[in-house]
Amino acid sequence: MDAEGPQALCDLCLAQVCCSLDALCSVRADGSMSLIWAPLFPQEMADQLLQKMTTKGILNDTTVGIFRNCKELRLRRASIRSSPVSAEAFRLALCPHRLLELDASWVSGGLTGADIISGLASNPECRLSLQRLSLSGLRLDWESLEEDGGVRVGFSSLQGLRMLNVANTDVNDAVLEDICTLPHLETLDISCSAISKLTALLKCNSTLRFLIAHKLQQLDMSPARLLFVFNQLHALRHLDFSDDHFAVDDSDGRVGDETVRQLLEGSPEVLPSLVSLDISGRKRISEAAIGAFVQSRSGLVFLGLLATGVSSCDVLSSKKNLKITGEADENQVCEALRRYRDQECFIREALVHLYNLTTDADKPQPDMLKLVVSAMQSHPTSLHVHLVATACVFNLTTQDLAEAMSVSLLSSTIAQLLYAMKTFPNHHQVQKNCLLALCSDYILQDVPFDKYLAATLVINWLSSHEDPTLQRMAVAVISILVAKVKTLLTHCALASCRKIQLLAIVQQKAMVGVVDSTLKFALSALWNLTDEMPAAARNFIECQGLELYEEVLESYYSEPSIQQKVLGLLNNIAEVEELQADLMEEDLLEHILSLLQDSQVEVGVRYFAGGILAHLSSRAEAWTLEGELRTTILEQLHDSIMTWTQLEREMVSYRSFHPFCPLLQPCQPSGVQLWAVWAIHLVCSQNSKTHKHYCRGLTEINSGSLFKIMYDKQQDTKAGRICIPSPLPLLLPPSLWYPRCRIHYILCNAAGRQNRS
């Protein structure tokens, strides 16, 4: 079980509702959705449904329509963050609700701050009930707000507001004047805005407790005037006056830097209620000033010092209850990642330090990995963030570290890596970091994620890059992934040999006769790509793959690991009836027959050679070569299999037993039947993890025929035709046996014992 426990039932149900909206809804004339039938949702669950739709990326003008039903779906805490919602859809679906909170940050679809304010103000209940409003990243379009009874509708219309976030908007001094008339305003975020004067804050000096004023680059006030305003904010407990340390012009922040210096060195009577101060990114701060400030503020609980150069100040180490963002140690860096989720400049800085701290990580740190993933999710388009974050992911999941983390965390981590690969396809280092993290047997084999997407992304990358190191990793990842995606592979996506250049890699290696992991992984990937995929097998032939593989088969005669992979792919082609004619080459079949007959060749190689010959010789009507060759093949196939010993290592796996069905028909020659039974016995007796899979496969074929073949052939031992070395083990639980199968199985065992005696 996942270390974090199973997913909550409520989450699973809401996720299912999100996946089933098309079936649960009718469509109105305007194209919006309406639930066909809706029970009275518990109020919190309505909020959670909206949140789930938002996080899954399915909230839009169409789907948000289900919330027009205000009686059954009653919203109080609504989030439409980063969703494509228009002004009209917002007005119809959300404004009628008696909202307490609304997060409309970074909404696309043309929705402006003015649309939101006027829409909310049109609901008399919302004017008083709304307490928290986030409009970060929106265009306010303040001038478009109309007057209502001679008074302009604005933020001041929402009299219940206690928290307002207008960071990264076009809020200006005039808008700030309106905001500061709110009678209950406690928290205000005006970061990254065009505000030049903070004097308006004096209007709410008795209520404002949290002020976030990060990166106010157009601020035009003297240090003395700024300190005067701050000093009048009698209720202020948290002040964020940090700056973007990546700013090109140092002169932009000099006024702010000087203000911070004077605040640090000034009397503790200035802002006496302050318990949290963030001055990250500020320059020209001395350790002495920090030490004096901390010592004079016994109630201080947080200090932001990232990118200031003073976070390792000696006095800070003695303050155990003081949380600090900085770069002195892991605690400070992780605190920065937690607190600066929306501030890209600080996330970048913190990730760089985290990378350096985790380069030699030797113990799993899942909490740290969660912070890295959260940073990537919060800045989906930032190359700088993803460049460092993907490197951190590799550090935190390398070697055995991933195995000690929860599967759900690893799933979300891999999903974010795939997003990075998709978003930055041409950035070499990002792709390299992602491949390094993906190139893990545990992650590829045991962690659930979109393996089809992963295979597609890696294949697309491989088609346009020839870096040997990355090439080796890419083909290693592909060789495992293509075996996992099963029937999702399509000839137009993953099965195109021309696109993936795997054949080119094989040819390049074969020309110089090298045997390395890149060649083996490329051969494995091609083998898996063609497994029960006729379109891929046909594409392989069209790309002159057969000619290349014939050369590889001959030139690597002494390399069993190479021969098995080559013969394995030829088996896949031989399974496709319409492609068997392409293998009807006398020289090729005689070479394969020689491998089957050679007792010095490993059983694994002879097994695959036998598979090709069994499939090709099973259809007498399609045989186009000399009949004598087919007769020889059938005889040698039987005689060779009789000498094989049981393999101890796992050599092959099958998606299904469908290719064996034609070989098990009663009309088939004994050598063909025997190879099919030996193959089924092989895979069913090797890996206990796959028993359920193969049991299902056995129920899909005519199990009675399978055991009947075994029994009948056991009785034919006097003729020297066949004798199975060891009876087929218990492949199916007794409840799945057909009665006659069990009888034949028992008789088979009895006959085997009699023959051995």
Side-chain angles (χ1 to χ4, degrees):
M1 182 179 290
D2 195 330
E4 294 186 349
Q7 194 172 355
L9 179 59
C10 180
D11 286 340
L12 293 172
C13 293
L14 291 174
Q16 185 59 40
V17 171
C18 290
C19 295
S20 308
L21 280 180
D22 288 337
L24 297 173
C25 296
S26 59
V27 180
R28 299 186 182 92
D30 64 358
S32 64
M33 284 184 170
S34 173
L35 287 172
I36 297 171
W37 175 84
L40 179 61
F41 269 58
Q43 189 280 305
E44 295 83 357
M45 192 172 290
D47 293 341
Q48 292 170 15
L49 176 58
L50 178 62
Q51 178 68 43
K52 182 70 72 173
M53 293 170 66
T54 299
T55 55
K56 282 185 169 292
I58 64 171
L59 189 72
N60 51 43
D61 283 3
T62 300
T63 57
V64 77
I66 67 173
F67 293 98
R68 294 187 193 180
N69 186 344
C70 300
K71 292 183 178 180
E72 280 72 29
L73 296 174
R74 299 161 296 160
L75 294 174
R76 293 293 180 267
R77 293 172 173 81
S79 173
I80 57 173
R81 188 182 183 94
S82 302
S83 300
V85 176
S86 66
E88 182 67 7
F90 173 80
R91 182 182 65 80
L92 293 173
L94 296 183
C95 292
H97 294 268
R98 189 174 180 271
L99 297 178
L100 297 176
E101 301 177 8
L102 173 63
D103 183 357
S105 300
W106 305 100
V107 168
S108 56
L111 186 63
T112 66
D115 295 328
I116 292 173
I117 295 168
S118 59
L120 295 173
S122 66
N123 181 346
E125 288 188 325
C126 261
R127 284 179 177 246
L128 297 177
S129 66
L130 191 68
Q131 297 181 12
R132 301 174 66 86
L133 177 60
S134 181
L135 305 178
S136 180
L138 297 187
R139 183 173 67 90
L140 290 184
D141 194 22
W142 186 253
E143 291 73 18
S144 68
L145 285 171
E146 300 176 356
E147 293 188 356
D148 181 9
V151 180
R152 177 186 290 274
V153 174
F155 287 105
S156 55
S157 303
L158 306 174
Q159 290 287 292
L161 274 183
R162 295 179 179 274
M163 188 285 291
L164 178 62
N165 181 355
V166 286
N168 300 286
T169 68
D170 52 343
V171 62
N172 53 33
D173 293 346
V175 180
L176 184 61
E177 289 281 349
D178 178 68
I179 290 171
C180 290
T181 62
L182 290 167
H184 306 295
L185 187 65
E186 296 179 354
T187 303
L188 177 61
D189 190 342
I190 53 175
S191 300
C192 305
S193 66
I195 291 174
S196 63
K197 306 289 184 184
L198 297 182
T199 310
L201 296 175
L202 296 174
K203 295 180 181 179
C204 52
N205 66 330
S206 61
T207 62
L208 193 64
R209 301 173 70 236
F210 299 87
L211 175 62
I212 301 96
H214 165 72
K215 194 181 176 182
L216 296 183
Q217 294 185 331
Q218 298 187 37
L219 197 60
D220 185 19
M221 296 177 71
S222 67
R225 185 60 181 166
L226 276 172
L227 276 177
F228 172 78
V229 172
F230 289 156
N231 194 34
Q232 297 303 307
L233 304 179
H234 305 305
L236 197 68
R237 294 175 60 80
H238 171 78
L239 173 61
D240 181 346
F241 200 52
S242 57
D243 195 22
D244 183 357
H245 61 295
F246 289 118
V248 177
D249 189 355
D250 277 358
S251 63
D252 290 344
R254 285 182 179 174
V255 171
D257 292 346
E258 178 59 23
T259 303
V260 168
R261 187 191 66 79
Q262 292 184 21
L263 174 62
L264 293 175
E265 296 177 356
S267 168
E269 298 302 319
V270 177
L271 296 177
S273 301
L274 200 68
V275 296
S276 171
L277 176 65
D278 198 334
I279 53 175
S280 292
R282 290 294 177 186
K283 304 175 179 66
R284 293 177 285 277
I285 297 175
S286 67
E287 290 191 5
I290 290 294
F293 181 80
V294 171
Q295 294 289 16
S296 64
R297 307 271 178 160
S298 57
L300 201 65
V301 296
F302 170 72
L303 189 58
L305 297 175
L306 184 67
T308 60
V310 295
S311 63
S312 56
C313 178
D314 291 339
V315 70
L316 299 178
S317 59
S318 62
K319 301 293 182 179
K320 302 301 181 184
N321 296 325
L322 179 62
K323 292 187 179 297
I324 302 167
T325 58
E327 54 271 1
D329 54 38
E330 288 183 2
N331 290 332
Q332 291 188 6
V333 172
C334 289
E335 187 67 27
L337 289 172
R338 273 188 289 269
R339 291 194 176 246
Y340 301 137
R341 191 183 70 171
D342 296 328
Q343 293 169 312
E344 181 185 348
C345 61
F346 293 150
I347 288 293
R348 288 167 55 185
E349 181 76 14
L351 286 172
V352 169
H353 292 293
L354 183 67
Y355 173 77
N356 293 329
L357 289 169
T358 57
T359 300
D360 299 316
D362 58 357
K363 61 179 180 179
Q365 302 186 74
D367 291 339
M368 200 174 284
L369 183 59
K370 288 179 186 177
L371 293 173
V372 175
V373 173
S374 176
M376 297 169 76
Q377 293 170 338
S378 298
H379 302 278
T381 61
S382 172
L383 172 61
H384 294 99
V385 168
H386 281 76
L387 177 60
V388 190
T390 51
C392 291
V393 168
F394 171 70
N395 282 354
L396 293 168
T397 59
T398 189
Q399 297 177 354
D400 299 330
L401 298 179
E403 297 183 33
M405 298 186 185
S406 72
V407 173
S408 60
L409 172 59
L410 291 174
S411 292
S412 61
T413 301
I414 301 306
Q416 206 57 43
L417 289 179
L418 298 182
Y419 177 85
M421 293 184 72
K422 187 176 180 180
T423 307
F424 309 105
N426 299 318
H427 196 280
H428 179 82
Q429 192 61 48
V430 169
Q431 298 292 318
K432 180 178 180 179
N433 293 346
C434 293
L435 282 173
L436 282 167
L438 279 173
C439 203
S440 158
D441 280 342
Y442 175 72
I443 288 175
L444 294 174
Q445 299 282 4
D446 298 330
V447 177
F449 60 91
D450 190 340
K451 293 180 172 63
Y452 177 78
L453 173 61
T456 304
L457 291 170
V458 177
I459 285 172
N460 289 340
W461 179 89
L462 185 62
S463 66
S464 56
H465 295 80
E466 296 183 358
D467 181 289
T469 302
L470 295 186
Q471 189 181 75
R472 182 174 63 254
M473 287 191 295
V475 294
V477 170
I478 293 170
S479 68
I480 296 176
L481 288 178
V482 294
K484 294 289 184 180
V485 293
K486 299 183 179 178
T487 55
L488 287 177
L489 290 176
T490 60
H491 67 280
C492 61
L494 300 184
S496 173
C497 297
R498 290 189 180 93
K499 289 182 180 179
I500 62 179
Q501 291 190 342
L502 290 173
L503 278 173
I505 294 173
V506 173
Q507 186 175 32
Q508 178 187 15
K509 299 293 182 180
M511 286 177 62
V512 293
V514 68
V515 178
D516 61 10
S517 58
T518 303
L519 173 61
K520 291 180 180 179
F521 283 131
L523 291 171
S524 294
L526 286 165
W527 183 5
N528 288 326
L529 275 169
T530 54
D531 187 13
E532 292 193 36
M533 289 298 299
R538 184 180 296 107
N539 186 263
F540 174 86
I541 295 172
E542 292 171 353
C543 292
Q544 287 75 52
L546 272 180
E547 292 83 347
L548 174 61
Y549 267 44
E550 288 180 39
E551 295 176 8
V552 173
L553 200 58
E554 293 180 4
S555 57
Y556 286 89
Y557 189 87
S558 60
E559 293 291 340
S561 62
I562 302 297
Q563 286 185 312
Q564 284 186 24
K565 299 178 191 302
V566 171
L567 293 170
L569 185 143
L570 297 182
N571 260 275
N572 292 342
I573 296 175
E575 291 172 3
V576 184
E577 290 186 357
E578 58 267 28
L579 299 180
Q580 289 176 351
D582 293 280
L583 295 175
M584 291 292 180
E585 297 180 15
E586 188 171 345
D587 291 342
L588 174 61
L589 295 192
E590 286 182 348
H591 181 73
I592 295 174
L593 180 59
S594 69
L595 294 175
L596 174 71
Q597 295 172 312
D598 192 346
S599 60
Q600 301 301 312
V601 174
E602 287 189 5
V603 173
V605 175
R606 299 170 73 190
Y607 168 80
F608 289 113
I612 299 169
L613 298 175
H615 282 287
L616 294 180
S617 60
S618 66
R619 298 175 64 231
E621 71 280 6
W623 186 265
T624 59
L625 301 177
E626 291 291 334
E628 184 179 349
L629 177 59
R630 180 172 180 267
T631 302
T632 302
I633 287 174
L634 291 174
E635 291 178 353
Q636 293 299 318
L637 186 62
H638 175 273
D639 293 342
S640 177
I641 296 174
M642 295 301 298
T643 67
W644 294 353
T645 56
Q646 181 68 24
L647 296 173
E648 295 183 358
R649 61 181 179 84
E650 186 177 10
M651 181 182 65
V652 66
S653 61
Y654 292 103
R655 299 187 195 278
S656 73
F657 288 144
H658 293 303
F660 297 105
C661 291
L663 308 184
L664 292 170
Q665 298 305 313
C667 61
Q668 289 291 0
S670 62
V672 172
Q673 292 178 327
L674 180 56
W675 182 87
V677 173
W678 205 95
I680 293 174
H681 172 255
L682 172 68
V683 296
C684 289
S685 60
Q686 285 189 331
N687 189 343
S688 59
K689 293 182 179 179
T690 58
H691 277 176
K692 288 185 179 180
H693 168 70
Y694 290 128
C695 281
R696 287 194 298 268
L698 283 171
T699 60
E700 294 172 2
I701 64 176
N702 190 334
S703 299
S705 295
L706 170 61
F707 287 105
K708 184 69 166 62
I709 290 166
M710 292 179 57
Y711 172 65
D712 291 345
K713 297 307 178 182
Q714 285 280 4
Q715 304 309 302
D716 201 19
T717 53
K718 291 182 179 180
R721 297 296 299 166
I722 183 170
C723 180
I724 298 177
S726 59
L728 193 66
L730 189 60
L731 301 181
L732 290 174
S735 60
L736 294 181
W737 290 358
Y738 297 106
R740 57 178 283 192
C741 292
R742 184 169 186 180
I743 292 171
H744 290 151
Y745 180 79
I746 295 171
L747 290 174
C748 176
N749 274 291
R753 286 193 296 271
Q754 182 179 3
N755 291 331
R756 285 194 295 273
S757 64

